[in-house]
Amino acid sequence: MKIVAQVKLLPASAHDADALAATLRACNRAANAASEVAFAKNLKRRNGLQDAVYHQVKADFDLGAQAAVRTITKVCDAYATLKANIRAGNYGPEGSKRRARAEAKPIGFREASAQPFDDRMLTWNLDQRSVSIWTVAGRLKGIPFACSDEATRLLASRKGESDLVLRDGMFFLYATIDIPEPEGYEPDGFLGVDLGIVNIATTSDGRIMSGRQVNRYRQRKRDLRTKLQKKRTKSAARALKRNRHKEARYATQRNHIIAKKLVAHAERTSRGIGLEDLTGIRQRVTAKKDKRARLHSWAFAQLGTFIEYKARRAGVPVVRVDPRNTSRQCSECRHTHRTNRVTQARFVCRSCGTVLHADHNGSRNIAHRADAAWQRGAVNRPSTT
């Protein structure tokens, strides 16, 4: 499986930082020039586009040979991604305005967009925690980086490209690493996980991970943004810029912690994990005006992704199930009716009288459905050799 290790570059001088920023600008300007040719001449494959623009982007943007090749490849990859998204319907059906806009112009690259570097352009020294990197101002040697011990261990098995990213005035390298997946096992049942807004995750064992702290943090940040936007001063603009990613980083950290706990619990009890397939939930669910911000800031997709990749690393099976009526169905007698869900937190079965926390009842239904899908063989089972 592929995972991504992130390291933060620590340029020792303003010259080094300026050289890295200038490199990103030059590569992305070259990418825009190549993209216009690719769009105008319909050269979306690397060999054809490289023959057409290689010498031009080298000369016009002062790029090295390998930097020019990687820039052209980035353009072709962007068009391949656009084509795949159009085929998947992510830009709407044929004839829709959004799809027409996407197909009507060349793909553009911001000046700070990520740039891939291969082993000819970037050398890692893990013992000294530094890199040597090509730039338009020459090769910079001994640029220190900071990362966790876990990331350093993963980087030892790194192969292939790494991406240079400029974010909030800081430089990062993202390295994609292939690691072997552990052998899977036959689960002894499933741990159902109900994802929600009030309670971020509730397990079929009755463990509730409240979203109160995250929701309060989000509300505090929204109030702060509203207050600063009304001021319309330079200092308020600077404060907005400082705070613009804090909310997302906080939610990401909480999702990592929750996912790690869930996977560890499932692994310890030799069970798989059952999750709801919530694809398109925002389009299907309506919310009152004062609740829309909470609905659309709900990071359920990110949490589900974190659970899946951490489970793959641990060899824990994950099954996605249909979420319909999980909140209305009794997990004891399977009676389904909308009046079973008395309130947001209370479930009372009108047939057998079972009383449970509503999210706990839903997670038990998810566990039953995941187990049934696994027994039917309706999911891809891991190898158990």
Side-chain angles (χ1 to χ4, degrees):
M1 64 176 293
K2 295 183 183 295
I3 61 173
V4 177
Q6 171 186 294
V7 304
K8 180 181 178 181
L9 293 183
L10 304 171
S13 65
H15 170 269
D16 292 348
D18 290 343
L20 292 171
T23 301
L24 285 179
R25 285 196 299 271
C27 289
N28 285 304
R29 289 171 181 172
N32 284 325
S35 179
E36 291 177 1
V37 174
F39 181 80
K41 298 183 178 181
N42 196 28
L43 297 173
K44 308 294 176 61
R45 296 183 179 274
R46 200 195 82 174
N47 290 340
L49 183 59
Q50 187 166 313
D51 289 342
V53 302
Y54 172 75
H55 295 290
Q56 175 191 346
V57 298
K58 270 192 68 179
D60 292 352
F61 301 96
D62 197 24
L63 300 185
Q66 205 61 22
V69 171
R70 295 273 65 81
T71 299
I72 294 167
T73 302
K74 179 172 78 169
V75 173
C76 295
D77 289 345
Y79 277 103
T81 300
L82 175 63
K83 184 177 180 180
N85 281 323
I86 290 174
R87 281 183 174 177
N90 296 336
Y91 286 95
E94 186 175 358
S96 66
K97 290 183 178 180
R98 187 181 179 199
R99 178 168 173 174
R101 284 197 302 268
E103 295 176 321
K105 60 182 180 180
I107 292 177
F109 298 85
R110 290 174 286 108
E111 290 198 340
S113 293
Q115 173 66 21
F117 283 69
D118 61 19
D119 288 340
R120 296 185 182 182
M121 305 165 65
L122 176 68
T123 305
W124 297 80
N125 187 332
L126 298 182
D127 293 334
Q128 298 181 3
R129 292 204 177 189
S130 66
V131 296
S132 170
I133 186 170
W134 175 88
T135 70
V136 291
R139 197 170 186 94
L140 304 180
K141 297 182 179 180
I143 302 294
F145 66 80
C147 65
S148 66
D149 292 337
E150 172 69 7
T152 303
R153 184 183 66 79
L154 291 171
L155 286 168
S157 56
R158 181 207 60 83
K159 293 180 181 179
E161 295 181 352
S162 302
D163 289 339
L164 177 64
V165 175
L166 174 60
R167 189 176 70 236
D168 295 337
M170 298 175 288
F171 293 95
F172 297 88
L173 283 171
Y174 289 87
T176 303
I177 301 164
D178 276 314
I179 62 172
E181 290 188 40
E183 293 182 355
Y185 58 82
E186 187 70 23
D188 183 17
F190 277 80
L191 178 71
V193 180
D194 181 80
L195 305 180
I197 300 175
V198 176
N199 296 313
I200 297 177
T202 305
T203 72
S204 53
D205 290 347
R207 185 176 185 181
I208 298 176
M209 300 175 183
S210 175
R212 183 181 305 165
Q213 187 176 1
V214 174
N215 290 330
R216 284 179 175 176
Y217 186 86
R218 289 189 186 280
Q219 185 60 52
R220 191 161 68 247
K221 289 298 178 183
R222 280 197 292 270
D223 292 343
L224 177 61
R225 284 196 297 272
T226 300
K227 180 180 177 181
L228 291 173
Q229 287 166 353
K230 287 181 178 179
K231 287 184 176 296
R232 304 182 68 178
T233 61
K234 290 184 178 180
S235 60
R238 288 194 296 269
L240 282 168
K241 187 175 181 180
R242 284 196 305 270
N243 283 275
R244 62 182 174 176
H245 295 308
K246 283 187 177 181
E247 182 181 330
R249 287 198 300 268
Y250 180 79
T252 299
Q253 181 202 31
R254 298 301 304 171
N255 282 341
H256 269 299
I257 293 171
I258 291 170
K260 186 174 181 179
K261 289 179 179 179
L262 293 173
V263 171
H265 183 54
E267 183 181 19
R268 187 170 59 251
T269 55
S270 300
R271 288 182 290 177
I273 296 177
L275 294 173
E276 296 171 288
D277 183 1
L278 296 175
T279 304
I281 186 68
R282 290 196 176 97
Q283 287 72 39
R284 298 196 305 268
V285 174
T286 58
K288 294 181 180 179
K289 188 173 182 179
D290 59 338
K291 304 293 183 184
R292 289 173 191 166
R294 293 179 67 185
L295 173 64
H296 291 283
S297 61
W298 181 24
F300 66 89
Q302 184 189 68
L303 177 56
T305 301
F306 288 173
I307 292 172
E308 286 185 321
Y309 99 79
K310 292 178 190 293
R312 285 182 64 190
R313 290 191 66 183
V316 176
V318 175
V319 175
R320 292 273 187 173
V321 301
D322 189 342
R324 284 179 295 182
N325 291 323
T326 53
S327 63
R328 296 176 175 179
Q329 185 180 68
C330 176
S331 57
E332 289 291 338
C333 69
R334 305 295 190 269
H335 174 69
T336 304
H337 198 275
R338 62 183 181 84
T339 58
N340 286 349
R341 183 76 177 260
V342 181
T343 65
Q344 188 278 326
R346 184 175 172 83
F347 179 91
V348 180
C349 180
R350 302 303 181 186
S351 178
C352 67
T354 297
V355 179
L356 285 171
H357 188 285
D359 291 340
H360 183 201
N361 177 75
S363 64
R364 291 177 63 179
N365 285 325
I366 294 167
H368 295 325
R369 295 184 186 187
D371 192 45
W374 184 268
Q375 297 301 328
R376 291 196 310 268
V379 294
N380 294 325
R381 297 183 178 225
S383 60
T384 55
T385 56

